[in-house]
Amino acid sequence: MKLYEKFADDIERLIRQGVYRHGERLPSVRQASQQHRISITTVLHAYLLLESRGLLASRPQSGYFVNLERADGERQMQDLRASKPIAVSSTVDVSRLVLSTLRSIGSGDAVPLGSPYPDPVLFPFEKLNRYAYTAGRDKTLWSLTNALPPGDPRLLRQIARRHLENGMPVDPNEIIVTVGATEAINLCLQAVAKPGDVIAVESPTFYAMLHAIERMGMKAIEVSTHPEHGIDIGELAAIVKSQPIAACMVMPNFQNPLGFQMPDERKRELVEFLAAADIPVIENAVYNELYFGDAHPSSLKSYDRKGLVLHCSSFSKSLTATYRIGWALPGRYRDQVEKLKFLNTLATPLVPQLAIAEYLERDGYEHHLRRIRKAYAQQANLMRAMVSRFFPEGTRISSPAGGYVLWVELPAKVDAMHLYQLALERGITIGPGYMFSISGSYRNFIRLNYSSPWSRRIEEAVIEVGKLVASCAR
Amino acid sequence: MKLYEKFADDIERLIRQGVYRHGERLPSVRQASQQHRISITTVLHAYLLLESRGLLASRPQSGYFVNLERADGERQMQDLRASKPIAVSSTVDVSRLVLSTLRSIGSGDAVPLGSPYPDPVLFPFEKLNRYAYTAGRDKTLWSLTNALPPGDPRLLRQIARRHLENGMPVDPNEIIVTVGATEAINLCLQAVAKPGDVIAVESPTFYAMLHAIERMGMKAIEVSTHPEHGIDIGELAAIVKSQPIAACMVMPNFQNPLGFQMPDERKRELVEFLAAADIPVIENAVYNELYFGDAHPSSLKSYDRKGLVLHCSSFSKSLTATYRIGWALPGRYRDQVEKLKFLNTLATPLVPQLAIAEYLERDGYEHHLRRIRKAYAQQANLMRAMVSRFFPEGTRISSPAGGYVLWVELPAKVDAMHLYQLALERGITIGPGYMFSISGSYRNFIRLNYSSPWSRRIEEAVIEVGKLVASCAR
């Protein structure tokens, strides 16, 4: 536990015990720093954390006040509203701009609030590197024939075991190892649909889904998506009645960018509706391990009776992104996906597969995951608290149930692309909302990444973006 | 130098010096083994090598005879004839059978004469593994943003340097690193053509080219291909006149399966013809480093003035296959290929890129290549000699100028798929000809791999296949 967390817990106990009363002003940051002999940053972090827990409210120029009228976790800012995209099919063409945005987001020394990638600082890369080295000493592994699809048997077993531990028994023979979830999603999409077909997606949706659709010459249709319940099944049903839908692509857990976890009942309902309509669904599950709640979330796949759910995942968000190891559970499309994998990249490098298998066999994964889940949950709170505090009125923020991104609706006047440029000039990247849609619905939205350990640099960047938003909103 | 090579050189000197005269019978394998106190295998290898040099002829039941009437390298068996495919466009669908064939070829303990992959025994995997380990200790490399296209700058520089050393100056900024040449070919094809388009290919052609075409929903048209000069430019011109051709895909050096090196003049002619017709050409150059001649072969790319040549290569045949590091030089299609790379697999793993960059920087590559070129050239001679000796009359064999595969035309009665099954039952794999065409032209052809160091096991396998061919030909 970090010092600021401990300090926040201490203060919370004092509030719960009535030492600090409702409406009472807490010691200023400076005072608390002197009283407790801890840094100003630590105090500020603790206060922000308490604010995000709903126990403190801040008033500009006045300081922090105990606020017991707001239940834990209640938001100071308004909730996001369910999206209402213009539900027309459209040939997708967003990838070029996204690529250049992502490149600038990733490059150089900018503060990567726009990055879609995890900060690997919490990942066990030293162990993986060592396991890779040991695996690589076996010369039989350097023969390509051992790397052909579906994947290394040791890794297949470990992936199946992991699914089982997470409550979903999986046949190792169904698994196809891929070059990250990106390849898995591409292959699954190609297995279920053909050029010209229409694919139903959430709105907003993770742009890699739109890219896959664009690339295959298919069309996307955006379906309204509730920031807590997920895709609107009623609206989807109406769309399916009005036109042929070849497949549906969703991210039921910790959706990028919305962060919601679809309730189990709605997952089941979605799977049953699609099964009745005989429509395959591609499930992007890359954030599943990064839940903030008590238990691993269920997958659509676990409700699948007809083999119509194509579950795609990877180790990129939870263990290592640069090894590019993902997998697909393609249900009844297994053989097609295996063949497409072979055609697309022939084989997945073997040494990284074995390094990950070794890591999983040694049983430290759950411990590591607990650590990063906790860190991300805290960082989510801090990011929410900072945005609440430093972004202008009219801002709405998501309430992520897992993962490491926050979706922020800015006042209507703000053009996120303009904001993106202004922030970039100040050495800060943000994820502009236009990337997440083909309908242009999210021009005043941004996505913020909180995968990096909290730091003064990030804090200052968020404050700076808040100022830019305020100036754009005027 | 291996013992059998030394022994072969000794005998050759004796023949050149007239110690052994034309028509004279050499000591039997057993006698020579006793005389020189070397193993029977060594003598047999040496005799086979001399046979392939055209200095010995073997007569069943009689032994080996000096044959000075055949010039060096002249073939005992007949040359292959130029292919005459039925030149109709066709929707390709060969990949499923090929995948299952390749899997059986690669799996278990079979003698892998059918394998398309190099035997990594000659590759410096220990060094690469060590460099990978060292590179992987730098934690900044575990961030995915550093692995985004086009590729690691160190590797891009080394690839450019290598091209320069091989006589082709290349701008490092043109290079896109990919997951093997397979991905490069797929991306390049998608950059230049769309579903329904017709792509001109050699006949026979490397099946991965057919797979790429199949996968994109395009059509292939096979063009007659001479076993030494390559694709028939006149026939290609006639096809281009009769129908729109979106692109051409060729393998001008050490074509898989024919093994030819297209003469420079014909390369230039092909590039100029396609440039005049404004047709892009995808050049598969994966075997370029494995030449048997004196100098590195030229690439189509070096004759390219209009940016219409998309050059694809990899380190898979020459350094490591399992790292899956390839690249494309897509000329004027560079930005499209970069975007497609991003869409297809997002990033190429960074650690293998750096391990290869480190290896190339340390300057041992040329030494390593000389070693494997020499080994492959000798193994080619041995394989040719063995097939000449043990396959029945009516067999024709290719004369590879580089690479590690031999293309064998069997007597017309032999069905290579049937032969494949028979050989597989005996623990031997071969590459049946049907994989290399969509027109069914090569049902009595097989491809044999000679990338593994020569061994008694391989020898016995070749003899066994020869017997099977003979029994099928009856």
Side-chain angles (χ1 to χ4, degrees), chain B residues 198-462:
Chain B
V198 180
I199 314 297
V201 299
E202 295 152 326
S203 180
T205 192
F206 176 44
Y207 43 75
M209 307 262 209
L210 297 176
H211 294 162
I213 294 169
E214 169 190 357
R215 186 186 168 203
M216 300 300 170
M218 302 168 188
K219 293 171 182 173
I221 186 164
E222 294 186 30
V223 183
S224 298
T225 300
H226 189 278
E228 287 178 356
H229 306 152
I231 195 165
D232 185 324
I233 301 172
E235 187 175 310
L236 178 62
I239 290 170
V240 166
K241 252 188 203 157
S242 73
Q243 65 178 300
I245 297 295
C248 184
M249 290 182 100
V250 292
M251 208 162 172
N253 295 315
F254 324 131
Q255 196 244 18
N256 181 347
L258 286 166
F260 61 76
Q261 174 177 341
M262 229 177 145
D264 284 357
E265 210 27 69
R266 295 184 67 89
K267 285 176 184 158
R268 184 195 304 275
E269 198 186 329
L270 179 62
V271 171
E272 285 173 358
F273 164 71
L274 291 170
D278 215 32
I279 295 173
V281 53
I282 296 168
E283 171 177 41
N284 181 342
V286 292
Y287 293 102
N288 274 21
E289 295 280 19
L290 304 182
Y291 54 87
F292 299 160
D294 295 330
H296 193 93
S298 70
S299 297
L300 294 188
K301 182 83 185 165
S302 64
Y303 305 104
D304 184 25
R305 300 283 165 270
K306 291 179 71 178
L308 282 172
V309 178
L310 298 92
H311 181 98
C312 298
S313 195
S314 83
F315 293 104
S316 295
K317 314 301 182 195
S318 52
L319 192 58
T320 163
T322 188
Y323 272 8
R324 316 293 311 122
I325 301 293
W327 68 93
L329 297 168
R332 65 162 79 156
Y333 302 95
R334 187 230 172 255
D335 290 353
Q336 268 159 283
V337 169
E338 182 184 39
K339 177 181 128 174
L340 288 167
K341 161 67 196 175
F342 179 71
L343 300 187
N344 193 45
T345 48
L346 192 56
T348 305
L350 202 54
V351 167
Q353 291 188 58
L354 287 162
I356 291 178
E358 177 81 19
Y359 182 85
L360 297 178
E361 284 165 8
R362 285 171 179 248
D363 241 0
Y365 193 37
E366 188 55 40
H367 176 77
H368 158 69
L369 287 173
R370 274 199 298 270
R371 202 165 133 254
I372 62 172
R373 279 177 205 135
K374 199 174 158 200
Y376 289 166
Q378 286 164 354
Q379 286 154 209
N381 281 337
L382 285 166
M383 184 62 87
R384 278 175 49 81
M386 287 292 290
V387 172
S388 296
R389 179 144 159 65
F390 292 105
F391 278 44
E393 205 171 333
T395 302
R396 295 164 186 264
I397 55 176
S398 64
S399 183
Y404 53 69
V405 297
L406 193 71
W407 184 237
V408 184
E409 180 178 355
L410 306 172
K413 272 185 74 180
V414 182
D415 177 342
M417 268 317 288
H418 181 57
L419 183 71
Y420 164 79
Q421 290 298 342
L422 294 175
L424 200 58
E425 285 163 17
R426 284 156 181 80
I428 305 163
T429 66
I430 58 174
Y434 82 90
M435 299 199 296
F436 300 86
S437 170
I438 48 170
S439 62
S441 309
Y442 304 104
R443 52 171 293 291
N444 61 320
F445 286 70
I446 58 171
R447 185 189 64 182
L448 299 177
N449 170 310
Y450 53 80
S451 69
S452 296
W454 202 258
S455 69
R456 175 179 290 249
R457 194 159 164 259
I458 291 175
E459 208 156 279
E460 287 168 357
V462 176

Side-chain angles (χ1 to χ4, degrees), chain B residues 106-225:
Chain B
S107 70
D109 296 322
V111 186
L113 300 184
S115 168
Y117 310 119
D119 184 330
V121 72
L122 291 168
F123 290 177
F125 66 89
E126 281 161 340
K127 276 189 186 170
L128 288 170
N129 197 40
R130 214 159 54 236
Y131 299 157
Y133 177 68
T134 307
R137 295 171 76 173
D138 177 355
K139 79 172 177 196
T140 64
L141 299 182
W142 293 74
S143 170
L144 192 66
T145 46
N146 292 317
L148 292 179
D152 181 74
R154 270 176 72 193
L155 182 62
L156 297 180
R157 264 197 310 277
Q158 287 305 314
I159 291 172
R161 198 189 76 165
R162 187 76 207 150
H163 277 299
L164 183 67
E165 285 168 359
N166 289 333
M168 186 168 79
V170 159
D171 180 347
N173 295 313
E174 185 186 335
I175 304 166
I176 311 290
V177 173
T178 56
V179 179
T182 303
E183 186 180 41
I185 290 167
N186 276 301
L187 303 182
C188 287
L189 185 61
Q190 205 185 355
V192 299
K194 55 183 192 314
D197 280 354
V198 180
I199 314 297
V201 299
E202 295 152 326
S203 180
T205 192
F206 176 44
Y207 43 75
M209 307 262 209
L210 297 176
H211 294 162
I213 294 169
E214 169 190 357
R215 186 186 168 203
M216 300 300 170
M218 302 168 188
K219 293 171 182 173
I221 186 164
E222 294 186 30
V223 183
S224 298
T225 300

Side-chain angles (χ1 to χ4, degrees), chain A residues 93 95-96 98-99 102-103 105-107 115-118 120-121 123-126 128-130 132-150 179 182-184 186-187 190 195 207 211-212 214-217 316 319-324 335-336 338-352, chain B residues 93 95-96 98-99 102-103 105-107 115-118 120-121 123-126 128-130 132-150 179 182-184 186-187 190 195 207 211-212 214-217 316 319-324 335-336 338-352:
Chain A
D93 184 18
S95 62
R96 183 173 300 275
V98 172
L99 177 54
L102 287 174
R103 193 190 313 280
I105 283 171
S107 68
S115 168
Y117 311 119
V121 71
F123 290 178
F125 66 89
E126 280 160 341
L128 289 170
N129 197 40
R130 213 159 56 236
Y133 176 67
T134 307
R137 295 172 76 171
D138 177 354
K139 81 170 177 199
T140 64
L141 299 182
W142 294 73
S143 169
L144 192 65
T145 46
N146 292 318
L148 292 179
V179 179
T182 304
E183 186 179 42
N186 276 302
L187 304 181
Q190 205 186 354
Y207 43 75
H211 295 161
E214 169 189 357
R215 180 177 174 214
M216 301 301 170
S316 296
L319 192 58
T320 162
T322 188
Y323 272 9
R324 315 292 312 122
D335 290 352
Q336 268 159 283
E338 182 184 39
K339 176 181 128 176
L340 287 167
K341 161 66 197 175
F342 179 71
L343 300 188
N344 193 45
T345 48
L346 191 56
T348 305
L350 202 55
V351 167
Chain B
D93 185 18
S95 62
R96 184 172 299 277
V98 172
L99 177 55
L102 286 175
R103 193 190 311 282
I105 283 171
S107 70
S115 168
Y117 310 119
V121 72
F123 290 177
F125 66 89
E126 281 161 340
L128 288 170
N129 197 40
R130 214 159 54 236
Y133 177 68
T134 307
R137 295 171 76 173
D138 177 355
K139 79 172 177 196
T140 64
L141 299 182
W142 293 74
S143 170
L144 192 66
T145 46
N146 292 317
L148 292 179
V179 179
T182 303
E183 186 180 41
N186 276 301
L187 303 182
Q190 205 185 355
Y207 43 75
H211 294 162
E214 169 190 357
R215 186 186 168 203
M216 300 300 170
S316 295
L319 192 58
T320 163
T322 188
Y323 272 8
R324 316 293 311 122
D335 290 353
Q336 268 159 283
E338 182 184 39
K339 177 181 128 174
L340 288 167
K341 161 67 196 175
F342 179 71
L343 300 187
N344 193 45
T345 48
L346 192 56
T348 305
L350 202 54
V351 167

Side-chain angles (χ1 to χ4, degrees), chain A residues 5 30 85 100 127 143 235 262 283 332 393 435 439:
Chain A
E5 293 162 37
R30 183 170 305 275
S100 72
K127 277 190 186 169
S143 169
E235 186 176 311
M262 230 176 144
E283 172 177 40
R332 66 163 78 155
E393 204 172 331
M435 300 198 296
S439 61

